[in-house]
Amino acid sequence: MIKIAFAGNPNVGKSALINSMAGSKLKVGNWPGVTVEKKEAEFEFEGKKIKMIDLPGVYSLSPYTIEEKITRDYILNENPDVVINVVDSTNLERNLYLTMLLKELGKPMIMALNFLDEFENLNYKLDLKKFQTHLEMEAIHTSAVKNKGIKELLEKALLVAEKHRKQSHIKYELRFDNTIENEIQNIRCKIEENEKFIPVLEKYAEDFICIKLLEQDSYFAEVLEREYGIESDSVTKENVDRIEKKFDEDAETVIAEGRYGALKGILAQTFTTSLKSRLDFTDKVDKILLNKYLGLPIFFFIISGIMGVVFNGSGPFIDWVDGFIGGYIGKYVAIAVEGTPDWLYSLVTDGIIGGVGGVLVFVPLMLFLYFFLALLEESGYMSRVAFLMDKIMRRLGLNGKAFVPMVLGFGCTVPAIYATRTLEDEPSRRLTALMAPFMSCGARLPVYGLFTAAFFGARAGMIVMSLYVMGIVVAVLTGMFFKNNPRFKAEDKALLLELPPYRVPSFKMIWSSTMTRTGSYLKKATTVILGVLILLWGLIYFPNNGDASNSYMAKFGKVVAPIMKPTGFGNRWEAVAAIAPSIAAKEVVVGFMAQVLPQENEASSISEGEIQEEPTTFAQDTMEQLKGFAVASKESVISMVSFDVASLFTPPSADEVEEEGTGVVGATARLWEGDPLGPLRAYSFMVFILLVVPCVVTLAAIKQEFGQKFMWFTVMVMLIVPYIASTVIFQIGRLFI
């Protein structure tokens, strides 16, 4: 198999090129031991098996960040057959610095001069033949959007890989000042004469070793000492001293300036620009979008609009998927297992089908959300968001990039956790992931709807808004509490990020990114939530064959209830027992209450419904589902163009909640009937539901991103915090009633 590694700066279109070559075969995971996203694809071309690896976007190979370590270590240790250096052809000066660093690694390389369409629109000119001669590598103009140069790039890569297959290292010409060249030569002589360096020279290119020693690269020095027993200072101290004495600058800076000098010399001889510039347009737009006074209001308007489109647009499809799994698939699966023992029948219909449905209902939301996230990223606006929010988030020990996951938390905590990947350092990612679950997601609204309908009536809107505000306040307090903890304290350094020029993103790239991310979510979340929901089914079904009020879950509620009494709602085991299934999915609380609370006239209502139902055939049901999908599509479009953001924060009406279980609102109202503290107990319960672990899919995302230990730490925090908050609210509130 031929391994091709793609390396380049962020936002140069590596993923788009791989997608163009490999189609839909791109797989997403994580690099071993870290949470940085790993993208790779395997396919066949002209009878050859090819594996493409999309290395993280970096500006340097000095391993100060996880991304830089991954990129450098992969190229040095995994020995790809060829490296494709992808550069933005409209910004060569910035991109070619990484090219100079990659040459020092001594690996077979070719260059993809990407964004050919923009390059031509700007009337830029490049003497390609002379450019290739100076760089000592093939360079091909490409455009993933227009599908230009893709096949030629792949063919050239395979030729280069074949040509250098038996070579350990490639010798490139590295252009430095004579003083630097002389010191590199001096070090070369030293290491060639030193027997300890024999295995080092077998693994690394000679020029790379010499330059890293001169730069006093701490990461490479650690490798030399740990693996080869070599102290680098003893080899290079006098060489470094001579350089620093002559240039009055540290050796690393002098060498970096030498690289810049070389690439500027190459561009001066090969590259010409025109007066027309895409940056003029970008500057004009940024004067509005990054304006000191208008920037934040415009951003909040944009993000509110996107939230409205995402959640309103996905809503009809979520309802359709829910009905498709539960009413259509569930019906025929139930027919297939009819006649089996009751426990098996319930396991298949309630546990497995219900579990699968619990995962799949999120898919429309993920599709919409990832589509618009890709749109923001590819257009260049996402970097501006981080810039705008940096001052505000810095007070919490975070930078501006952390704001996006926090906002996403209002819609769904799962994508909020995944969105922490945009943060560079691990402490910031952890702190953001700890805060985001406190944002009140849409899944909590049915619970609010049930309890506000039962206890608060016309004051429902005010009560729900207070819960949203409380979630924000608790998240901020949590951030302030943990921000100085070593595991959560990020380095106090300025936010440095690239503000790429605005681009019109290609639909193909956005759709590919959307499908890849959604598929990854589905694959990871399904196994976890399905297993937990089957476990919950068992706790509710046994030991009395579906009698929820005498189930293991009920027994759990009765045992734990005394501990929960300070919260106010602990005097009813039903409310306490509802907490456990709420961790599977918040919407489960309504159904759970419908199962365990005695409801008036329940039997007559069900029997009437059964009498009215007429049997339908498979063909009729299938046609009904197709019609339902068409209706959902129509309603989705109508909901999106309405831009109704307010509805995202509106709980379901009493009638809508009743649909979840006959008489469940009335039954819930009787939980604390005649108790003057009843509304306060209900509010305390909603606060607990607000602040407790959102759902098992969130836990799956946290485990995937941060590991099992951090997941359990998050669970602990999100059990302690709601207990304290509910207790404080109830104990203070009762003083005024």
Side-chain angles (χ1 to χ4, degrees):
M1 181 179 287
I2 298 173
K3 288 193 294 186
I4 302 177
F6 284 70
N9 292 169
N11 305 306
V12 295
K14 301 191 304 300
S15 299
L17 286 176
I18 294 176
N19 280 325
S20 296
M21 292 181 187
S24 59
K25 295 181 175 63
L26 193 67
K27 295 179 182 178
V28 178
N30 279 0
W31 290 91
V34 296
T35 54
V36 177
E37 195 171 70
K38 180 181 183 181
K39 297 178 183 176
E40 56 186 13
E42 293 183 14
F43 64 103
E44 284 195 15
F45 178 76
E46 296 181 351
K48 297 176 181 177
K49 289 186 178 181
I50 298 170
K51 183 176 184 178
M52 292 181 167
I53 301 92
D54 184 1
L55 297 174
V58 294
Y59 296 104
S60 168
L61 293 180
S62 298
Y64 300 128
T65 68
I66 296 174
E67 289 80 5
E68 289 170 349
K69 288 179 183 177
I70 289 170
T71 299
R72 189 165 109 175
D73 286 351
Y74 184 87
I75 295 173
L76 287 172
N77 300 331
E78 299 300 324
N79 292 314
D81 295 291
V82 63
V83 176
I84 296 181
N85 177 209
V86 184
V87 303
D88 178 352
S89 60
T90 66
N91 202 342
L92 287 174
E93 185 171 334
R94 186 199 68 207
N95 280 235
L96 287 183
Y97 184 77
L98 180 63
T99 304
M100 309 305 280
L101 293 171
L102 290 169
K103 285 176 66 176
E104 292 169 11
L105 300 181
K107 302 296 181 183
M109 243 170 65
I110 65 168
M111 179 178 289
L113 293 160
N114 209 16
F115 304 126
L116 172 63
D117 46 336
E118 295 182 21
F119 185 89
E120 292 175 339
N121 289 337
L122 292 167
N123 296 322
Y124 287 175
K125 304 293 180 186
L126 181 69
D127 187 333
L128 191 60
K129 187 175 181 180
K130 190 181 289 186
F131 183 74
Q132 291 178 126
T133 301
H134 283 301
L135 283 179
E136 303 175 274
M137 70 181 73
E138 299 264 12
I140 297 93
H141 278 293
T142 60
S143 171
V145 176
K146 298 291 179 64
N147 206 34
K148 292 182 178 179
I150 305 299
K151 186 178 179 183
E152 183 186 357
L153 178 67
L154 183 53
E155 289 173 342
K156 294 281 188 184
L158 294 177
L159 285 173
V160 170
E162 187 62 35
K163 179 181 177 182
H164 298 288
R165 181 173 289 277
K166 295 182 180 180
Q167 289 181 256
S168 300
H169 307 293
I170 307 298
K171 174 67 176 173
Y172 293 104
E173 182 184 359
L174 305 176
R175 304 175 183 180
F176 288 105
D177 175 274
N178 287 337
T179 302
I180 303 296
E181 289 282 6
N182 290 336
E183 296 302 342
I184 289 175
Q185 184 57 41
N186 289 336
I187 294 173
R188 184 179 286 114
C189 293
K190 288 182 183 179
I191 64 177
E192 286 175 351
E193 294 170 359
N194 190 332
E195 290 185 359
K196 286 187 175 182
F197 274 94
I198 293 175
V200 183
L201 287 165
E202 289 176 357
K203 184 172 182 179
Y204 302 108
E206 198 171 53
D207 285 330
F208 173 77
I209 298 170
C210 296
I211 291 171
K212 291 301 116 184
L213 288 171
L214 271 182
E215 288 180 325
Q216 297 180 297
D217 185 297
S218 58
Y219 185 65
F220 187 66
E222 183 185 329
V223 171
L224 287 179
E225 187 168 354
R226 184 181 67 247
E227 297 183 12
Y228 303 99
I230 299 172
E231 290 187 12
S232 56
D233 285 346
S234 63
V235 180
T236 60
K237 188 178 186 310
E238 59 184 36
N239 305 93
V240 172
D241 288 344
R242 281 197 292 267
I243 291 173
E244 293 182 347
K245 184 176 181 180
K246 177 172 182 179
F247 293 96
D248 195 24
E249 195 72 80
D250 64 272
E252 186 178 8
T253 301
V254 174
I255 292 171
E257 288 173 349
R259 295 188 189 106
Y260 275 114
L263 70 88
K264 285 181 179 180
I266 292 171
L267 291 176
Q269 298 178 58
T270 60
F271 180 61
T272 55
T273 62
S274 66
L275 295 175
K276 181 181 178 183
S277 175
R278 171 189 53 172
L279 297 177
D280 291 341
F281 171 77
T282 294
D283 289 341
K284 289 175 183 177
V285 175
D286 276 345
K287 284 180 181 178
I288 300 172
L289 295 184
L290 298 182
N291 183 276
K292 184 164 66 171
Y293 303 106
L294 297 177
L296 281 175
I298 291 173
F299 162 67
F300 284 117
F301 176 78
I302 291 172
I303 206 72
S304 297
I306 287 176
M307 283 182 69
V309 170
V310 167
F311 295 106
N312 290 329
S314 64
F317 288 112
I318 289 173
D319 293 338
W320 178 80
V321 171
D322 193 23
F324 180 78
I325 300 294
Y328 181 66
I329 301 295
K331 174 183 176 180
Y332 289 100
V333 169
I335 292 172
V337 296
E338 197 170 355
T340 59
D342 290 344
W343 69 267
L344 180 59
Y345 181 88
S346 180
L347 169 63
V348 173
T349 56
D350 300 328
I352 297 176
I353 297 299
V356 171
V359 177
L360 294 183
V361 292
F362 282 99
V363 172
L365 174 64
M366 292 298 159
L367 282 169
F368 275 78
L369 189 60
Y370 285 139
F371 181 87
F372 283 98
L373 276 178
L375 185 65
L376 290 177
E377 289 167 356
E378 296 300 317
S379 66
Y381 185 64
M382 191 63 87
S383 299
R384 273 83 181 170
V385 173
F387 176 79
L388 286 168
M389 293 304 302
D390 188 56
K391 285 185 179 179
I392 297 173
M393 298 305 294
R394 193 164 290 282
R395 294 177 184 176
L396 299 177
L398 300 167
N399 66 43
K401 290 183 180 181
F403 185 72
V404 175
M406 305 290 282
V407 171
L408 294 179
F410 284 115
C412 180
T413 313
V414 176
I417 298 299
Y418 287 130
T420 61
R421 290 179 176 182
T422 59
L423 306 176
E424 291 90 351
D425 62 287
E426 200 66 13
S428 293
R429 294 189 69 231
R430 289 194 201 101
L431 186 57
T432 306
L434 195 64
M435 294 167 63
F438 291 119
M439 303 293 108
S440 186
C441 67
R444 293 168 168 108
L445 278 174
V447 185
Y448 302 161
L450 173 60
F451 280 82
T452 53
F455 292 96
F456 296 99
R459 293 175 294 165
M462 181 180 68
I463 294 297
V464 171
M465 188 52 66
S466 73
L467 291 168
Y468 275 92
V469 172
M470 184 170 294
I472 296 170
V473 170
V474 171
V476 169
L477 292 175
T478 301
M480 294 178 71
F481 181 81
F482 283 106
K483 72 176 184 178
N484 291 320
N485 184 290
R487 284 181 58 79
F488 298 97
K489 187 174 183 180
E491 292 182 35
D492 187 16
K493 57 183 180 181
L495 174 66
L496 298 175
L497 74 164
E498 176 191 9
L499 295 181
Y502 292 105
R503 290 191 174 96
V504 178
S506 75
F507 179 80
K508 180 181 177 183
M509 177 59 193
I510 291 174
W511 183 248
S512 176
S513 174
T514 301
M515 295 305 293
T516 300
R517 289 174 171 182
T518 305
S520 177
Y521 152 76
L522 194 57
K523 180 182 176 183
K524 295 292 182 182
T526 301
T527 52
V528 176
I529 193 171
L530 182 58
V532 172
L533 285 176
I534 289 174
L535 175 62
L536 285 173
W537 164 84
L539 294 174
I540 294 173
Y541 185 85
F542 294 109
N544 292 309
N545 300 329
D547 181 4
S549 60
N550 289 298
S551 64
Y552 290 124
M553 189 65 75
K555 292 178 180 179
F556 160 78
K558 291 171 184 176
V559 170
V560 177
I563 301 172
M564 302 301 291
K565 276 193 175 179
T567 65
F569 63 84
N571 64 340
R572 290 300 300 258
W573 71 264
E574 297 93 340
V576 175
I579 293 170
S582 80
I583 295 175
K586 289 293 172 280
E587 303 92 334
V588 175
V589 172
V590 175
F592 180 80
M593 288 299 187
Q595 290 182 54
V596 299
L597 294 177
Q599 298 170 35
E600 295 179 352
N601 302 321
E602 184 181 52
S604 61
S605 299
I606 294 173
S607 61
E608 286 174 13
E610 289 175 348
I611 292 169
Q612 292 173 357
E613 285 184 4
E614 295 181 4
T616 54
T617 65
F618 178 76
Q620 288 174 320
D621 287 340
T622 302
M623 184 56 66
E624 194 64 29
Q625 291 300 319
L626 293 174
K627 289 179 181 177
F629 182 79
V631 170
S633 301
K634 180 181 177 182
E635 290 179 354
S636 175
V637 173
I638 294 172
S639 299
M640 283 190 287
V641 298
S642 70
F643 294 102
D644 182 10
V645 179
S647 66
L648 298 177
F649 305 96
T650 305
S653 66
D655 290 339
E656 291 173 319
V657 174
E658 288 287 4
E659 293 178 5
E660 297 292 333
T662 307
V664 68
V665 173
T668 303
R670 289 189 293 276
L671 264 173
W672 297 290
E673 193 171 19
D675 185 348
L677 295 176
L680 181 59
R681 296 182 195 278
Y683 188 78
S684 175
F685 177 76
M686 286 190 288
V687 168
F688 200 98
I689 292 297
L690 160 71
L691 302 176
V692 78
V693 180
C695 63
V696 292
V697 186
T698 297
L699 295 182
I702 292 173
K703 181 182 177 184
Q704 179 190 349
E705 295 297 297
F706 303 97
Q708 188 167 306
K709 285 186 179 179
F710 185 78
M711 181 194 75
W712 288 116
F713 176 78
T714 304
V715 170
M716 181 185 70
V717 171
M718 297 199 75
L719 289 176
I720 294 172
V721 169
Y723 185 85
I724 293 172
S726 291
T727 299
V728 169
I729 285 171
F730 178 74
Q731 296 300 332
I732 293 177
R734 69 187 301 183
L735 299 176
F736 298 92
I737 297 175

